[in-house]
């Protein structure tokens, strides 16, 4: 879906050619000495360099005119002239310059001699007094042509701190990592690029490519709402991209938003009436979500001759038309062959209901479970409520009802309906008489009290305390420890996490959360110990690596270990804004201000992409700009940090603002 990776060629050096041409005639009379055995007396060695440049320009121009043979001959002649130029330099004890080496590398790249191209680019790098954008991009192109995408990424990343806002660097890094299927790394660079485009280059050639890339990446990484936002930015300019319209329909299907799903599928049908996939997907959506209008849509498909003679669309059409003979067997066979489809399961459930199948309740629960697993929470709840209405007609069915209410509560939780989820869980608790179910439902109720905007930590503690008297399990102590932590009762929190550890000493989460409570109590050695234990138990515990690395940085302790921990955390989750912030802070402490800004800007752009702004990141940016003797930008970020703080004003931040304001006024 992405454009081929291309970078701009080096600028044509017409002015330099003119200068070189004039220099051939600048020799004073009587001084026509032989400067190179390959040249006539009085002709400088730069003659060969000038001819090499001219041939290279001809090579690029021929390539643009699609004259491959002429282009190849020009690049070969350029190589020859540069070889002669370097021979002349050797005769007087000189080596190739950075410019001539880079030019020769580019010649070999165009000729497909990648080994020679890399050798000359390395020589150019060694000779160059500073890292240049053209040379970095040249080496990147060579690595890409070699198929060494990881090495191409390394070339760019090693110099990114020198060109932190360069769209070409960020686009290439996003694209390369996408090709390597490093989705988290790719989203990091594309998000940073979007940030640059929005603030510095609103007419960038990468604007819509970046929006499309972020749409796909956020879809892959399960950020569907951000994916929709980015795809919509893209479709504002490219309204007829059927691939993207179909992807939007898929995302809305995953979210259970059938209304918008239908809208995009209908757009595809309107723009491309021959699109069978969109027509068939729309048929399944109508069947599952809009049974009143489904017969009309299926009649339209019949008229358009888009109903096949077999398969799920045909079976759904049979059910809607009332042709149920042999349909149960066909649906069961189809489900067995296609276990990932939801519509045939719903069709089989509807058929069972119509035919009064005695296994209806079992089938209802199974179908709802599949809908839940496919994240169709509205559909799952609707199925469960229909099953519950059937059970209500039975006597002595309280335990069955308990299971249905518990599952309905799970659907409501996933939909963010916290109060409804609590009510359903309470109803399940009221109905059950079984001890194990009671313990499980109490745990769930206590968990729900801590979620969303309920903020009923005290009720959570009360429910868990009651349960712990009868059933002291590590998970109950752990959850109560979290509740105490939210209540800022850190001593009680530590005590409960410790009890959980006594009962299950191998669970790394218990140590991590006890470390956070120890940190609030200013017990650094205990915090450090628990974080190290977390990492020992789980070598991929990026949260513990970030926490410990940041603590070390804050206390100016173990700088190398802090750097190692944070780099490891970032390598595990490169698109985590908190980790990028921590790494930026370590770079600030090391006085590596360019790299600090790079990572802090990554953190800012990632946080904005996820829909929040972190005042800590803004304050860190202010600190870095102040260290770089840029009080204007420092003040801007300090004030931004102050405006985003939801708690009482930070005295240290207020003092910084006053100090910088005074510095600027003076």
């Amino acid at each position: 879906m992405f454009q081929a990776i291309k970078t701009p060629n080096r600028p044509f050096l017409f002015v330099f050619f003119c200068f070189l041409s004039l220099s051939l005639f600048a020799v004073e009379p009587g001084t026509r000495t032989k400067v190179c055995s390959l040249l006539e007396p009085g002709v400088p060695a730069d003659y060969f360099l000038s001819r090499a440049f001219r041939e290279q320009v001809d090579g690029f121009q021929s390539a643009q005119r699609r004259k491959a043979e002429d282009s190849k001959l020009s690049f070969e002649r350029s190589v020859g002239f540069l070889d002669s130029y370097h021979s002349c330099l050797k005769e007087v004890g000189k080596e190739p310059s950075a410019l001539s080496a880079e030019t020769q590398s580019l010649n070999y790249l165009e000729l497909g001699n990648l080994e020679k191209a890399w050798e000359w680019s390395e020589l150019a790098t060694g000779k160059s007094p500073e890292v240049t954008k053209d040379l970095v991009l040249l080496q990147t192109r060579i690595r890409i042509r070699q198929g060494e995408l990881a090495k191409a990424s390394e070339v760019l990343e090693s110099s990114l701190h020198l060109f932190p806002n360069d769209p070409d660097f960020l686009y290439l890094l996003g694209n390369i990592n996408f090709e390597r299927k490093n989705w988290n790394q790719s989203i990091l660079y594309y998000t940073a690029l979007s940030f640059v485009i929005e603030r510095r280059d609103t007419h960038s050639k990468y604007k819509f490519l970046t929006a499309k890339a972020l749409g796909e990446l956020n879809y892959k990484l399960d950020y569907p709402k951000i994916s929709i936002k980015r795809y919509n930015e893209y479709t504002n300019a490219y309204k007829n991209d059927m691939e993207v319209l179909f992807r939007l329909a898929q995302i809305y299907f995953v979210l259970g938003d059938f209304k918008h799903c239908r809208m995009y599928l209908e757009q595809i049908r309107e723009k491309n009436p021959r699109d069978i996939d969109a027509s068939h997907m729309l048929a399944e959506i109508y069947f599952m979500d809009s049974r009143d209008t489904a017969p009309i849509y299926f009649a339209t498909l019949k008229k358009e001759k888009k109903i096949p003679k077999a398969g799920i669309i045909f079976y759904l059409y049979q059910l809607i038309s009332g042709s149920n003979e042999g349909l149960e067997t066909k649906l069961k066979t189809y489900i067995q062959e296609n276990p990932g489809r939801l519509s045939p399961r719903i069709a089989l459930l509807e058929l069972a209901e119509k035919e009064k199948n005695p296994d209806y309740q079992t089938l209802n629960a199974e179908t709802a479970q599949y809908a839940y697993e496919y994240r169709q929470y509205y559909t799952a709840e609707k199925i469960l409520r229909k099953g519950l209405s059937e059970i209500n007609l039975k006597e002595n069915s309280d335990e069955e009802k308990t299971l249905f209410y518990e599952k309905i509560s799970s659907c409501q939780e996933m939909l963010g309906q916290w109060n409804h989820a609590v009510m359903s869980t309470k109803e399940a608790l009221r109905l059950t008489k079984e001890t194990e179910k009671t313990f499980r439902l109490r745990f769930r109720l206590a968990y729900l009290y801590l979620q969303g905007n309920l903020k009923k930590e005290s009720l959570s503690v009360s429910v868990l305390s009651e349960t712990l008297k009868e059933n002291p399990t590590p998970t109950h102590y752990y959850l109560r420890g979290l509740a105490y932590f939210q209540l800022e009762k850190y001593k009680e929190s530590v005590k409960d996490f410790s009890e959980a550890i006594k009962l299950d000493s191998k669970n790394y989460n218990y140590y991590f959360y006890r470390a956070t409570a120890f940190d609030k109590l200013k017990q650094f050695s205990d915090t450090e110990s628990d974080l190290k234990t977390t990492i020992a138990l789980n070598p991929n515990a990026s949260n513990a690596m970030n926490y410990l690395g940041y603590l070390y940085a804050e206390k100016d302790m173990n700088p190398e270990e802090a750097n190692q921990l944070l780099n490891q955390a970032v390598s595990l989750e490169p698109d985590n804004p908190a980790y990028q912030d921590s790494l930026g802070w370590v770079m600030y402490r090391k006085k590596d201000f360019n790299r600090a800004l790079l990572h802090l800007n990554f953190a800012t752009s990632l946080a904005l992409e996820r829909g929040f702004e972190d005042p800590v990141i803004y304050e860190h940016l202010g600190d870095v700009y102040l260290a770089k003797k840029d009080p204007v930008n420092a003040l801007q970020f300090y004030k931004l940090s102050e405006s985003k703080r939801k708690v009482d004003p930070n005295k240290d931040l207020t003092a910084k603002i006053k100090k910088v304001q005074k510095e600027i006024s003076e």
Side-chain angles (χ1 to χ4, degrees):
M1 61 176 284
F2 297 102
Q3 285 187 343
I5 298 173
K6 294 181 180 178
T7 56
N9 293 321
R10 298 170 57 252
F12 297 150
L13 306 176
F14 290 114
V15 175
F16 186 59
F17 299 155
C18 295
F19 171 77
L20 287 177
S21 300
L22 289 171
S23 72
L24 299 179
F25 302 99
V27 182
E28 293 183 12
T31 61
R32 296 173 64 80
T33 57
K34 197 173 182 68
V35 295
C36 178
S37 62
L38 300 175
L39 291 166
E40 293 297 321
V43 180
D46 284 351
Y47 165 78
F48 287 127
L49 184 60
S50 176
R51 289 297 307 274
F53 282 134
R54 288 176 184 274
E55 291 293 346
Q56 191 179 81
V57 170
D58 288 345
F60 283 121
Q61 290 177 340
S62 296
Q64 287 175 351
R65 293 193 295 267
R66 298 186 179 181
K67 294 184 176 181
E69 284 301 316
D70 291 349
S71 177
K72 180 183 177 186
L73 288 172
S74 292
F75 285 119
E76 287 174 345
R77 284 194 290 266
S78 183
V79 167
F81 282 123
L82 281 171
D83 284 343
S84 298
Y85 174 66
H86 293 147
S87 295
C88 290
L89 291 179
K90 190 174 182 181
E91 287 182 16
V92 294
K94 294 183 178 179
E95 295 182 350
S97 66
L99 178 61
S100 67
E102 184 181 347
T103 306
Q104 191 70 299
S105 173
L106 187 53
N107 284 332
Y108 278 121
L109 173 62
E110 296 302 322
L111 290 168
N113 190 335
L114 303 179
E115 186 176 344
K116 284 280 190 182
W118 182 258
E119 288 176 8
W120 281 101
S121 74
E122 284 285 82
L123 182 60
T125 302
K127 294 290 183 181
S128 181
E130 61 182 15
V131 178
T132 66
K133 175 180 174 177
D134 283 344
L135 190 49
V136 174
L137 292 179
L138 173 60
Q139 289 202 316
T140 302
R141 290 178 62 200
I142 295 167
R143 288 305 195 198
I144 291 170
R145 287 277 295 276
Q146 289 173 331
E148 298 280 2
L149 295 185
K151 291 182 179 179
S153 186
E154 287 172 11
V155 170
L156 289 164
E157 285 172 342
S158 65
S159 302
L160 186 57
H161 65 289
L162 301 173
F163 309 95
N165 297 312
D166 189 283
D168 294 325
F169 275 54
L170 294 170
Y171 175 73
L172 278 167
L173 281 165
N175 210 332
I176 289 168
N177 282 286
F178 189 96
E179 294 297 323
R180 295 174 64 203
K181 294 183 171 52
N182 292 340
W183 313 128
N184 298 81
Q185 197 78 18
S186 183
I187 205 171
L188 165 70
Y189 295 119
Y190 273 122
T191 302
L193 175 55
S194 176
F195 192 69
V196 169
I197 291 169
E198 185 179 336
R199 285 158 178 74
R200 296 170 181 260
D201 188 12
T202 54
H203 299 291
S204 172
K205 62 184 176 181
Y206 298 126
K207 183 174 182 178
F208 296 110
L209 287 170
T210 301
K212 185 177 182 181
L214 285 170
E216 185 66 15
L217 287 163
N218 280 292
Y219 172 75
K220 289 179 182 295
L221 294 174
D222 204 19
Y223 296 110
K225 292 183 180 178
I226 302 175
S227 180
I228 289 168
K229 174 191 167 189
R230 290 302 188 176
Y231 273 138
N232 281 334
E233 289 174 13
Y234 173 76
T235 55
N236 284 337
Y238 298 91
K239 301 181 186 299
N240 296 320
D241 190 326
M242 297 299 123
E243 176 193 352
V244 170
L245 293 176
F246 194 75
R247 176 67 85 204
L248 281 164
Q250 288 178 311
I251 295 169
Y252 278 115
F253 178 80
V254 167
L255 291 173
D257 186 341
F258 292 132
K259 178 183 176 182
H260 281 93
C261 181
R262 288 201 309 269
M263 181 185 78
Y264 282 106
L265 291 171
E266 284 165 355
Q267 279 185 36
I268 295 170
R269 272 175 55 80
E270 183 181 344
K271 295 173 188 293
N272 184 12
R274 295 183 179 181
D275 193 307
I276 296 295
D277 290 337
S279 296
H280 285 181
M281 185 177 179
L282 191 52
E284 293 187 66
I285 299 298
Y286 269 110
F287 174 79
M288 289 188 288
D289 186 55
S290 184
R291 289 306 307 280
D292 292 339
T293 55
I296 299 170
Y297 180 73
F298 274 87
T300 301
L301 284 188
K302 180 74 173 175
K303 186 177 179 180
E304 293 174 356
K305 299 181 179 179
K306 289 181 181 175
I307 295 181
K309 294 181 179 180
I312 185 57
I313 302 302
F314 177 68
Y315 301 149
L316 297 181
Y317 177 65
Q318 273 190 279
L319 183 62
I320 287 172
S321 304
S323 306
N324 299 340
E325 187 175 349
L327 188 55
E328 181 180 355
T329 303
K330 291 176 185 176
L331 285 169
K332 285 181 176 178
T333 303
Y334 187 87
I335 290 168
Q336 191 173 1
E337 294 172 352
N338 303 273
R341 298 287 279 274
L342 182 58
S343 61
R345 297 179 185 278
I346 293 175
L348 186 62
L349 179 65
E350 183 175 322
L351 191 63
E353 183 183 10
K354 284 181 178 180
E355 298 182 350
K356 307 296 181 183
N357 190 316
D359 296 327
Y360 173 78
Q361 288 301 332
T362 303
L363 192 58
N364 179 285
E366 288 177 357
T367 306
Q369 182 61 33
Y370 274 100
Y372 182 89
E373 289 173 3
Y374 298 150
R375 300 196 292 190
Q376 302 301 309
Y377 306 119
Y378 284 114
T379 304
E381 184 179 355
K382 188 162 64 175
I383 292 168
L384 288 165
R385 289 202 178 278
K386 184 171 280 191
L388 188 59
S389 66
E390 294 288 329
I391 294 174
N392 284 332
L393 302 174
K394 295 167 58 177
E395 294 183 3
N396 303 318
S397 58
D398 283 355
E399 295 303 333
E400 286 183 77
K401 291 178 188 176
T402 295
L403 292 173
F404 272 80
Y405 276 113
E406 185 177 3
K407 290 175 180 178
I408 287 169
S409 170
S410 295
C411 295
Q412 292 165 334
E413 176 196 344
M414 298 310 295
L415 292 167
Q417 298 171 354
W418 306 109
N419 281 310
H420 287 87
V422 166
M423 290 171 62
S424 295
T425 303
K426 283 183 174 180
E427 183 62 16
L429 261 172
R430 185 186 69 79
L431 290 168
T432 189
K433 299 295 185 292
E434 295 181 10
T435 303
E436 287 303 316
K437 278 186 189 175
T438 299
F439 290 151
R440 185 177 74 235
L441 289 165
R442 281 183 190 166
F443 182 88
R444 173 160 182 73
L445 184 60
Y447 160 80
L448 288 170
Y449 280 142
L450 300 178
Q451 303 309 307
N453 57 358
L454 293 181
K455 301 299 180 186
K456 295 182 178 179
E457 295 90 349
S458 297
L459 284 176
S460 182
V461 168
S462 176
V463 171
L464 289 164
S465 298
E466 181 185 355
T467 305
L468 280 165
K469 292 175 186 175
E470 307 169 55
N471 188 32
T473 67
T475 54
H476 284 81
Y477 278 116
Y478 166 67
L479 189 60
R480 193 173 69 172
L482 291 176
Y484 276 132
F485 188 92
Q486 290 187 27
L487 287 166
E488 299 182 5
K489 295 184 177 182
Y490 302 121
K491 289 182 180 179
E492 291 87 343
S493 182
V494 164
K495 184 179 177 182
D496 272 356
F497 289 135
S498 298
E499 290 297 329
I501 288 167
K502 284 180 187 177
L503 295 168
D504 182 3
S505 61
K506 299 298 182 184
N507 191 311
Y508 57 86
N509 279 318
Y510 301 162
Y511 292 96
F512 176 77
Y513 285 103
R514 188 172 70 173
T516 64
F518 275 135
D519 185 36
K520 292 292 185 181
L521 294 168
K522 309 297 183 186
Q523 295 177 218
F524 174 72
S525 60
D526 291 319
T527 304
E528 180 185 34
S529 175
D530 272 359
L531 290 172
K532 285 184 173 181
T533 303
T534 304
I535 297 166
L537 289 171
N538 177 19
N540 293 320
S542 56
N543 55 352
M545 294 169 191
N546 175 67
Y547 206 127
L548 185 56
Y550 187 80
L551 284 176
Y552 282 155
E554 278 285 275
K555 295 179 179 296
D556 284 325
M557 291 175 58
N558 308 330
E560 292 307 316
E561 189 175 352
N563 190 49
Q564 180 184 347
L565 284 164
L566 291 171
N567 273 298
Q568 194 173 350
V570 166
S571 70
L572 289 166
E573 289 186 50
D575 59 330
N576 188 312
Y579 299 178
Q580 291 289 348
D581 171 59
S582 296
L583 188 54
W585 191 239
V586 165
M587 295 302 171
Y588 165 77
R589 292 288 195 176
K590 293 171 70 175
K591 301 189 185 308
D592 190 343
F593 301 131
N594 284 342
R595 284 190 172 85
L597 279 180
L598 175 69
H599 290 289
L600 290 171
N601 280 323
F602 280 163
T604 303
S605 60
L606 288 166
L608 287 169
E609 182 79 346
R610 306 285 161 80
F612 69 93
E613 295 179 78
D614 189 336
V616 174
I617 298 173
Y618 289 141
E619 185 176 355
H620 287 167
L621 277 165
D623 290 340
V624 176
Y625 276 115
L626 190 60
K628 285 173 68 69
K629 312 295 184 188
D630 185 349
V632 174
N633 269 317
L635 181 61
Q636 174 192 343
F637 282 107
Y638 284 149
K639 285 189 171 182
L640 199 53
S641 175
E642 186 179 50
S643 70
K644 300 300 175 184
R645 290 183 182 273
K646 296 179 180 178
V647 294
D648 294 334
N650 182 307
K651 292 181 181 179
D652 290 338
L653 180 59
T654 303
K656 288 178 186 178
I657 290 172
K658 289 180 179 179
K659 179 182 177 182
V660 177
Q661 284 175 328
K662 183 179 179 181
E663 182 180 338
I664 292 172
S665 65
E666 292 174 351

